């Protein structure tokens, strides 16, 4: 029976009935048995029955509630809200979801942000919330943020498109509301049917442009504002000249679109007209034809669209995005979330009151970034330029044909994998449109356009690199480099990562939104070794001056991901290179510890790294290497050290990243024991140098936390793993899987504490015990950690002729602003007499700059060390978690050893400082 037509004056939230259990699911759900409700609170049972929970989920949720209730560190608001969170966790874990996310929100009266915050609050140990629940929560939160940003944009657009008629025309007012409800619901249905990856902000917004064009064209002119009112008077015509004969053969005809209206929409929203046209021509037109809406001149009934969306909503089991229309509390952010948004001081005339404007919306920020990228690459070529072609011809073996064939081959592969990631939702059309099923996919033209942008950037950066190498070496023959397939694949992958990250957007907060296309997706697409990819990142950034600050930070983050885990995957050639270096003896180790306190030189180019001496690996036999890369014609200014330049630089960067992580943790947890940090670093560095096999399929931070615990244990300092994990969770860019799911052996995974007991301690037990002896190992030098080598746009510049005076340009509203108030800022006029007042100001500035707390402000809120996690499953009767021994007081011998170690550490630190001062600092 068709759904009843909806009254235009009825609020949408009252019309929608949330019943997430369809007939198929109902047959598989039984009533809660008497055993299922035994020893459970009556209100908990009532909530479970309301959500159609079965015995298995009910029992699991109650056991989670028992563990949470026993934790003394958690202050719970109401039992009902926590029960709802426990039921969500249990149902997700057991994959028996009989309710939607909106249903459980309404049942416990929590909005989206409150529910997510409660789930994070309940994650008090490594067992309450599994990695499966963490993943489901992250996907749901990501989809909500994109949907919320899209609706905010949609609402503002509708305010600019549709007029508010006088009160006397109440019918027109209701018609305007009906159009807006119809448009949003149609968009939700189209997004659910067309896109598999609904959390892609840019593509979803392009689809919204198509829906708006369809609805505006069918709206009464009296409701439209300019310039949309005038745009609707233009001719409606097919987008291409598809003949009726082709249409009669079953091919979908070209959609009739008001091109002027579509262009007006795109111009007003700084959106790519070509890409939106492609979406409209392919995906949206096929979707509309499958819905039977292509030929209609009227807007579809919102009740019919709501019924279509209901099916998608009940299938996904997530939130009901129709409720955005009524500003339902379940889909609203908390008031504090809006208050905490950073605000930007607006330029004002002298004497005017300062004006504060909100930051850019996520959609606007994404559109601006894309527009900037397109403007930069508008003049670039899809093929090698004349200058680049000249470099190719100067090679002993011309690489032109191989390069163009590689680009074409990788482009086809990229488009195919991109289409798979975005989704080909043909199966959801059903059997009513079998011919359309073959063509149901997101437009390949858009994939090609993204790859085209990546190709332009690839050739542009390659040309810049070669020009730089020519200036540095005074040669033009780069035969060996330009015939290196790994170099070209890495350079193209880096360019495509910039393009895909730009299209993903930053979410309005300066951090790229994580999606299925996020790094290292591009490495998997090209089957590219992460160790090869890292070699090109630094040179890529230096060669492309148009990269934004956010994009530079993104590439630097990709480099960190490679160094901390991706390059250490089991099949990585890195282990073979390290094994070869060890076979050569001490002089051939990856990076000698003695060089750690020396400044890190950033003068290595991609050519140096790709052409550094490497022995044949499993990836390429000696014969194949000889055929692919002819006799080198790349000049060398000085004899090369036998050690691989790329491997040496990689390890230097790994050491510095590792020490930074350790330093952040020690600053949080061990402020009363500063002498332990160099000892922990010595063990950590020893592990990376001599026991690098422990990094295979593992994470750098797993070894760091294990080293911290081991030293505290041997020094008899009461620092438990639960405390370490609590602090680690608050570090920026961390993932709970790092300590919840650690490789033990042969594909078996467990928590970080199991890894420490069964793997780390067993491998390093002898070395760890040396730190308790009267003759501990010599401490490793503390790495010299410079600032980022990458020069960000609008970064401070040194004043010529000065030693330590820098000018920081005023940040534009597009940058992430810091909140500056007249009370918090300190102003000094350069050139005025240095009186007492100026002296005090400089003292305050020096105090702020020299403070080490600023490095932690991004990850912490300050304050004392975090409270330890409670009720870890490896805690038993107050015993320590690692070896089962109870903590004991310090013995006299241990105290003496600690004092001796502290004295020795202070002496060594003083010597290191004196040595460091003698080394000339790098010019910034």
């Amino acid at each position: 029976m068709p759904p009843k037509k909806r009254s235009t004056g009825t609020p949408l939230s009252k019309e929608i009935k949330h019943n997430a259990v369809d007939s198929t699911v109902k047959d598989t759900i039984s009533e809660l048995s008497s055993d299922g409700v035994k020893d459970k609170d009556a209100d908990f049972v009532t909530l479970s029955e309301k959500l159609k929970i079965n015995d298995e989920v009910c029992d699991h949720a109650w056991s989670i509630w028992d563990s949470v209730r026993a934790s003394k560190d958690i202050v719970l608001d109401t039992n009902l809200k926590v029960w709802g969170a426990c039921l969500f966790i249990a149902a997700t874990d057991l994959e028996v979801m009989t309710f939607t996310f909106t249903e459980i929100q309404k049942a416990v009266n929590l909005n989206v942000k409150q529910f997510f915050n409660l789930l994070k609050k309940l994650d008090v140990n490594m067992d309450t919330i599994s990695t499966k629940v963490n993943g489901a929560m992250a996907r749901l939160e990501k989809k909500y943020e994109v949907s919320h940003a899209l609706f905010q944009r949609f609402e503002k657009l509708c305010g600019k498109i549709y007029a508010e008629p006088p009160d006397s025309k109440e019918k027109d007012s209701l018609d305007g509301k009906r159009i807006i409800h119809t448009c949003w619901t149609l968009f939700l249905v189209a997004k659910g049917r067309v896109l598999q990856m609904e959390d892609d902000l840019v593509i979803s917004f392009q689809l919204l442009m198509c829906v708006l064009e369809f609805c505006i064209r069918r709206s009464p002119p009296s409701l439209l504002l300019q310039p949309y009112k005038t745009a609707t008077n233009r001719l409606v015509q097919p987008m291409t000249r598809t003949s009726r004969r082709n249409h009669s053969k079953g091919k979908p005809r070209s959609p009739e679109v008001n091109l002027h209206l579509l262009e007006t929409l795109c111009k007003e929203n700084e959106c790519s007209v070509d890409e939106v046209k492609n979406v409209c021509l392919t995906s949206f037109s096929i979707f509309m034809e499958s819905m039977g809406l292509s030929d209609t001149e009227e807007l579809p009934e919102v009740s019919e669209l709501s019924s279509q969306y209901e099916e998608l909503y009940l299938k996904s089991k997530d939130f009901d995005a129709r409720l955005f229309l009524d500003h339902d509390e379940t889909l609203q952010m908390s008031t504090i979330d809006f208050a905490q948004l950073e605000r930007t001081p607006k330029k004002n005339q002298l004497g005017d009151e300062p004006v504060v404007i909100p930051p850019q919306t996520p959609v606007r920020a994404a559109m601006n970034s894309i527009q900037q990228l397109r403007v930069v690459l508008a003049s670039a070529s899809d093929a090698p330029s004349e200058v680049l072609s000249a470099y190719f011809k100067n090679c002993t073996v011309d690489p032109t044909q191989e390069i163009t064939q590689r680009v074409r081959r990788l482009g086809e592969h990229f488009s195919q994998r991109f289409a798979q990631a975005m989704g080909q939702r043909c199966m959801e059309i059903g059997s009513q449109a079998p011919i359309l099923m073959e063509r149901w996919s997101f437009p390949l033209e858009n994939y090609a356009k993204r790859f085209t942008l990546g190709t332009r950037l690839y050739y542009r950066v390659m040309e810049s690199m070669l020009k730089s190498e020519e200036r540095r070496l005074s040669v033009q023959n780069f035969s060996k480099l330009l015939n290196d397939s790994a170099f070209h694949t890495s350079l193209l992958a880096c360019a495509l990562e910039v393009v895909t990250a730009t299209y993903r957007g930053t979410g309005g907060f300066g951090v790229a939104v994580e999606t299925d296309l996020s790094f290292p997706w591009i490495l998997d697409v090209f089957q590219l070794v992460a160790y090869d990819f890292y070699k090109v990142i630094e040179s890529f950034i230096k060669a492309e001056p148009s990269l934004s600050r956010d994009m530079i930070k993104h590439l630097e983050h990709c480099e960190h991901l490679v160094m901390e885990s991706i390059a250490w995957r089991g099949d990585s050639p890195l282990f073979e290179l390290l094994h070869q270096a060890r076979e050569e003896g001490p002089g051939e180790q990856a990076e000698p510890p003695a060089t750690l306190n020396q400044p890190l030189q950033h003068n290595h180019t991609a050519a140096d790294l790709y052409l550094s001496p490497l022995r044949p690996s499993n990836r390429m036999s000696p014969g194949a290497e000889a055929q692919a890369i002819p006799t080198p014609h790349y000049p060398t200014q000085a004899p090369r050290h036998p050690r691989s330049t790329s491997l040496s630089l990689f390890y230097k960067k790994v050491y510095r990243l590792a020490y930074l992580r350790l330093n952040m943790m020690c600053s949080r947890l061990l402020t009363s024991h500063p002498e332990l940090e160099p000892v922990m670093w010595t063990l950590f560095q020893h592990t990376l140098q001599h026991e690098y096999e422990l990094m295979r399929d593992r994470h750098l931070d797993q070894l760091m936390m294990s080293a911290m615990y081991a030293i505290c244990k041997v020094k008899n300092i009461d620092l438990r793993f639960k405390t370490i994990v609590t602090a680690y969770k608050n570090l920026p860019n961390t993932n709970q899987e790092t300590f919840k799911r650690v490789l033990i052996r042969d594909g078996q995974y467990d928590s970080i504490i199991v890894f420490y007991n069964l793997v780390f301690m067993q491998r390093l037990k002898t070395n760890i015990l040396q730190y308790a002896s009267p003759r501990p190992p010599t401490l490793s030098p503390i790495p010299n950690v410079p600032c980022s080598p990458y020069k960000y746009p609008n970064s401070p510049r040194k004043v010529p002729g000065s030693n330590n005076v820098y000018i920081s340009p005023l940040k534009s509203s597009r940058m992430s602003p810091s909140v500056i108030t007249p009370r918090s800022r300190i102003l000094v006029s350069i050139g005025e007499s240095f009186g007492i007042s100026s002296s005090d100001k400089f003292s305050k500035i020096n105090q702020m700059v020299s403070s080490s707390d600023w490095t932690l402000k991004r990850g912490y809120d300050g304050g004392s060390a975090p409270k330890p996690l409670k009720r870890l499953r490896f805690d038993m009767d107050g015993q320590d978690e690692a070896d089962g021994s109870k903590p004991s007081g310090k013995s006299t011998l241990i105290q003496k050893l600690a004092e001796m170690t502290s004295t020795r550490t202070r002496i060594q630190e003083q010597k290191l400082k004196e040595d460091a001062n003698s080394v000339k600092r790098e010019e910034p």
Side-chain angles (χ1 to χ4, degrees):
M1 186 174 73
K4 295 181 180 180
K5 292 187 178 180
R6 177 180 176 271
S7 171
T8 55
T10 305
L12 189 64
S13 59
K14 295 186 180 295
E15 177 190 345
I16 300 171
K17 295 181 180 180
H18 297 287
N19 181 15
V21 185
D22 56 23
S23 58
T24 305
V25 179
K26 283 181 179 177
D27 296 337
T28 62
I29 298 176
S30 59
E31 297 281 339
L32 286 176
S33 63
S34 57
D35 292 337
V37 301
K38 187 178 180 181
D39 300 329
K40 296 181 178 64
D41 190 282
D43 291 336
F44 175 83
V45 174
T46 301
L47 178 62
S48 299
E49 291 176 342
K50 182 179 181 180
L51 298 173
K52 311 296 182 183
I53 299 297
N54 60 20
D55 284 345
E56 185 181 16
V57 175
C58 185
D59 290 340
H60 186 30
W62 189 255
S63 66
I64 296 173
W65 161 249
D66 280 338
S67 64
V68 170
R69 180 173 49 180
S71 178
K72 298 179 181 179
D73 270 1
I74 299 182
V75 179
L76 303 177
D77 299 329
T78 63
N79 290 352
L80 183 65
K81 296 178 180 180
V82 182
W83 288 339
C86 292
L87 287 170
F88 175 82
I89 294 170
T92 305
D93 255 335
L94 299 175
E95 298 182 355
V96 186
M97 190 66 71
T98 58
F99 51 83
T100 66
F101 186 67
T102 295
E103 279 189 314
I104 198 167
Q105 283 181 269
K106 289 186 173 293
V108 299
N109 193 27
L110 285 174
N111 64 35
V112 174
K113 286 297 183 182
Q114 290 170 341
F115 202 99
F116 288 144
N117 289 337
L118 178 58
L119 289 175
K120 295 172 183 177
K121 185 177 181 180
L122 295 183
D123 191 16
V124 294
N125 58 48
M126 290 186 277
D127 295 323
T128 302
I129 294 183
S130 65
T131 54
K132 182 189 296 183
V133 178
N134 279 328
M137 184 173 64
R139 287 190 297 271
L140 192 61
E141 189 171 16
K142 182 170 55 181
K143 184 177 179 180
Y144 165 76
E145 290 175 351
V146 170
S147 299
H148 184 266
L150 288 170
F151 181 76
Q152 282 185 314
R153 188 68 172 176
F154 171 77
E155 199 170 33
K156 290 180 181 178
L157 273 174
C158 289
K160 296 179 180 179
I161 295 172
Y162 293 102
E164 295 183 5
D167 296 337
S168 59
K169 297 182 179 180
E170 184 178 357
K171 184 177 182 301
D172 290 339
S173 177
L174 293 176
D175 285 342
K177 292 181 180 179
R178 181 178 68 86
I179 293 172
I180 293 174
H181 282 191
T182 300
C183 185
W184 178 251
T185 310
L186 177 61
F187 166 68
L188 294 179
V189 177
K191 186 162 70 81
R193 293 283 184 86
V194 174
L195 300 181
Q196 176 173 307
M197 197 169 65
E198 296 184 55
D199 51 15
D200 190 293
L201 180 65
V202 176
I203 292 180
S204 297
F205 186 67
Q206 292 170 347
L207 188 62
L208 180 59
M209 293 292 99
C210 300
V211 176
L212 280 168
E213 187 278 334
F214 175 84
C215 293
I216 294 173
R217 188 154 42 92
R218 290 163 174 77
S219 300
S222 61
L223 295 179
L224 297 177
L225 296 172
Q226 297 294 359
Y228 303 100
K229 185 174 184 178
T230 303
T232 55
N233 296 329
R234 298 298 182 91
L235 180 64
V236 176
Q237 58 188 5
M239 295 184 66
T240 58
R241 299 177 180 177
T242 304
S243 65
R244 294 183 179 273
R245 182 180 58 185
N246 288 339
H247 176 59
S248 63
K249 290 182 179 180
K251 295 183 179 180
R253 65 181 179 183
S254 299
E256 292 184 346
V257 174
N258 188 324
L259 293 178
H260 184 67
L261 175 58
L262 191 64
E263 290 171 356
T264 301
L265 277 168
C266 293
K267 181 180 179 181
E268 291 293 318
N269 292 278
E270 299 181 0
C271 197
S272 170
V273 178
D274 292 336
E275 293 185 2
V276 175
K277 285 181 180 179
N278 286 330
V279 175
C280 191
L281 181 63
T282 54
S283 297
F284 185 66
S285 64
I286 299 175
F287 161 74
M288 296 300 286
E289 192 156 346
S290 71
M291 294 281 289
L293 299 175
S294 296
D295 299 326
T296 179
E297 295 299 326
E298 303 293 333
L299 286 171
E301 289 291 337
V302 68
S303 57
E304 296 177 2
L305 294 175
S306 182
S307 177
Q308 294 277 346
Y309 177 73
E310 186 86 2
E311 296 179 8
L312 298 172
Y313 159 64
L314 297 179
K315 183 178 180 181
S316 66
K317 296 292 189 296
D318 55 22
F319 56 88
D320 190 343
R322 292 171 295 186
L323 298 181
F324 279 120
L325 290 165
D326 292 325
H327 300 280
D328 191 277
E329 291 183 357
T330 58
L331 293 183
Q332 300 306 309
M333 289 185 177
S334 304
T335 306
I336 190 173
D337 292 326
F338 292 106
Q340 289 177 347
L341 286 175
E342 290 183 342
R343 299 194 171 258
T344 310
K346 185 179 180 180
K347 266 190 176 179
N348 56 290
Q349 300 297 326
L350 187 63
D352 294 344
E353 290 294 327
V355 180
V356 178
I357 59 175
Q360 286 184 320
T361 63
V363 176
R364 174 68 67 182
M367 295 300 110
N368 284 343
S369 298
I370 294 171
Q371 182 66 17
Q372 291 171 14
L373 179 66
R374 294 174 67 88
V375 168
V376 169
L377 298 179
S379 59
S381 174
D382 304 346
S385 64
E386 294 182 1
V387 175
L388 203 53
S389 297
Y391 280 118
F392 295 166
K393 292 178 181 178
N394 285 332
C395 293
T396 306
V397 176
D398 191 339
T400 304
Q401 184 177 0
E402 183 67 27
I403 289 174
T404 53
Q405 289 179 352
R406 183 186 299 107
V407 169
R408 183 170 58 253
R409 183 176 65 255
L410 293 178
E412 294 173 354
H413 197 50
F414 175 85
S415 297
Q416 181 183 6
R417 290 290 299 274
F418 200 110
Q420 292 174 358
M422 294 309 303
Q424 297 177 348
R425 304 298 292 269
C426 57
M427 299 305 294
E428 293 188 7
I429 298 179
S431 59
Q432 296 179 353
I435 298 177
L436 298 179
M437 290 171 58
E438 300 176 0
R439 296 171 55 87
W440 187 257
S441 63
F442 197 75
L444 290 175
E445 290 89 343
N446 280 14
Y447 308 151
K449 286 182 178 296
R450 295 195 185 185
F451 186 81
T452 298
L453 289 177
T455 304
R456 291 178 178 180
L457 186 58
Y458 159 70
Y459 285 131
R460 174 185 167 101
V461 172
M462 189 195 310
E463 181 177 326
S464 177
M465 284 183 176
L466 294 177
K467 287 180 178 178
S468 177
E469 289 295 285
E470 181 181 0
R471 289 192 299 268
R472 185 171 72 97
L473 303 172
S474 300
V475 295
Q476 294 181 336
N477 186 348
F478 302 102
S479 186
K480 185 175 181 181
L481 177 67
L482 293 178
N483 281 281
D484 190 330
S485 178
F487 164 73
H488 288 288
T489 306
S490 300
L491 189 61
L492 180 58
C494 195
L496 287 169
E497 178 60 29
V498 169
V499 173
T500 54
T502 301
Y503 272 83
R504 286 202 307 271
T506 61
F509 302 100
V511 179
V513 177
E514 296 298 315
T515 69
D516 293 339
L517 301 180
S518 298
F519 188 81
W521 177 80
I522 191 64
L523 301 186
D524 297 331
V525 171
F526 287 171
Q527 295 295 299
L528 181 62
V529 174
Y531 178 70
D532 286 335
F533 180 80
Y534 114 88
K535 300 176 187 178
V536 81
I537 295 176
E538 187 171 326
S539 292
F540 188 99
I541 294 174
K542 292 177 179 178
E544 183 47 66
S546 68
L547 292 178
S548 66
R549 180 187 182 92
D550 288 338
M551 195 50 58
I552 293 175
K553 282 186 171 294
H554 172 71
L555 290 179
E556 193 172 11
H557 176 62
C558 293
E559 185 180 55
H560 288 175
L561 290 176
V562 170
M563 292 188 293
E564 70 188 16
S565 61
I566 303 176
W568 302 97
R569 289 176 177 175
D571 57 349
S572 173
L574 178 60
F575 293 99
E576 182 182 352
L577 296 176
L578 290 171
H579 180 68
Q580 293 171 354
R582 170 175 286 185
E583 287 182 341
E584 295 295 329
E588 285 290 319
Q589 55 189 301
E591 181 58 28
T595 65
L596 288 177
N597 58 354
Q598 298 176 3
L600 181 61
Q601 300 295 328
H602 292 285
N603 54 2
H604 295 293
T605 65
D608 288 332
L609 302 184
Y610 282 99
L611 300 178
S612 63
L614 293 176
R615 294 162 184 79
S617 65
N618 294 330
R619 293 177 296 150
M620 183 178 292
S621 64
E625 184 178 10
Q627 295 176 5
I629 305 177
T631 304
H633 287 272
Y634 196 87
T636 55
Q637 293 180 314
R640 291 185 180 273
H641 193 281
R643 187 171 65 250
S644 167
T645 303
S646 62
L647 183 60
S648 175
L649 182 61
F650 178 81
Y651 245 75
K652 283 181 179 179
K653 290 188 173 184
V654 169
Y655 280 152
R656 283 155 178 79
L657 177 63
Y659 175 72
L660 278 176
R661 299 281 179 84
L662 178 65
N663 178 258
M664 293 179 72
M665 291 287 287
C666 290
S667 299
R668 184 65 172 172
L669 296 173
L670 296 167
T671 54
S672 59
H673 298 280
E675 73 281 357
L676 292 183
E677 180 184 302
V679 182
M680 292 174 176
W681 167 243
T682 301
L683 175 60
F684 193 9
Q685 187 274 325
H686 169 86
T687 306
L688 292 173
Q689 180 183 0
H690 299 287
E691 303 291 345
Y692 54 80
E693 278 293 333
L694 287 177
M695 280 294 298
R696 189 181 293 272
D697 289 322
R698 295 192 180 97
H699 196 286
L700 186 69
D701 294 344
Q702 293 165 355
L703 270 62
M704 174 196 68
M705 289 185 279
S706 298
M708 289 185 68
Y709 180 81
I711 295 301
C712 286
K713 191 68 179 176
V714 79
K715 296 293 185 181
N716 207 22
I717 303 298
D718 187 18
L719 179 66
R720 302 193 176 191
F721 251 118
K722 50 193 173 185
T723 309
I724 295 174
V725 167
T726 303
Y728 179 77
K729 288 166 61 177
N730 293 324
L731 291 181
N733 301 320
T734 57
N735 191 318
Q736 295 196 28
E737 281 204 13
T738 304
F739 57 83
K740 287 187 175 183
R741 190 173 185 270
V742 189
L743 176 66
I744 307 302
R745 65 170 68 89
D746 300 329
Q748 297 178 352
Y749 293 84
D750 214 308
S751 67
I752 182 71
I753 187 63
V754 177
F755 165 74
Y756 176 84
N757 284 330
L758 300 184
V759 182
F760 188 87
M761 187 178 65
Q762 301 301 325
R763 181 76 67 89
L764 293 162
K765 188 173 184 179
T766 302
N767 186 269
I768 292 172
L769 292 177
Q770 291 179 9
Y771 294 94
S773 68
R775 299 175 61 85
T778 303
L779 297 180
S780 298
I782 300 298
N784 180 286
V785 183
C787 296
S788 172
Y790 311 121
K791 295 181 180 179
Y792 300 118
N794 292 339
S795 59
R797 296 183 179 181
K798 187 174 181 180
V799 176
S802 64
N803 290 328
N804 294 307
V805 180
Y806 295 84
I807 298 177
S808 180
L810 178 66
K811 295 180 180 179
S812 65
S813 59
R814 293 183 178 181
M815 307 301 289
S816 299
S818 58
V819 179
I820 303 178
T821 66
R823 292 185 178 181
S824 64
R825 64 187 177 188
I826 301 175
L827 302 179
V828 176
S829 177
I830 303 298
E832 69 179 0
S833 60
F834 290 91
I836 299 177
S837 176
S838 298
S839 177
D840 293 340
K841 290 179 181 179
F842 276 111
S843 297
K844 290 181 180 180
I845 293 174
N846 288 334
Q847 183 179 0
M848 288 164 45
V849 173
S850 62
S851 174
S852 61
D853 294 339
W854 67 274
T855 60
L856 304 174
K857 287 181 180 178
R858 182 180 177 187
Y860 305 118
D861 297 328
S864 58
K867 295 181 180 180
L869 300 172
K870 296 295 183 180
R871 289 189 59 79
L872 290 163
R873 64 185 175 87
F874 39 77
D875 282 341
M876 297 178 295
D877 301 327
Q879 294 177 342
D880 197 14
E881 62 269 53
D883 55 7
S885 62
K886 293 184 179 181
S888 58
K890 291 186 177 180
S891 65
T892 305
L893 177 60
I894 293 296
Q895 291 179 353
K896 292 294 184 182
L897 290 175
E899 292 174 0
M900 293 171 60
T901 303
S902 178
T903 303
R904 182 183 294 106
T905 301
R906 286 196 298 269
I907 295 174
Q908 291 183 352
E909 285 181 343
Q910 182 63 30
K911 187 176 184 304
L912 290 175
K913 290 180 180 179
E914 293 174 356
D915 294 341
N917 291 333
S918 64
V919 179
K920 184 179 180 181
R921 287 185 171 274
E922 289 182 292
E923 195 69 14

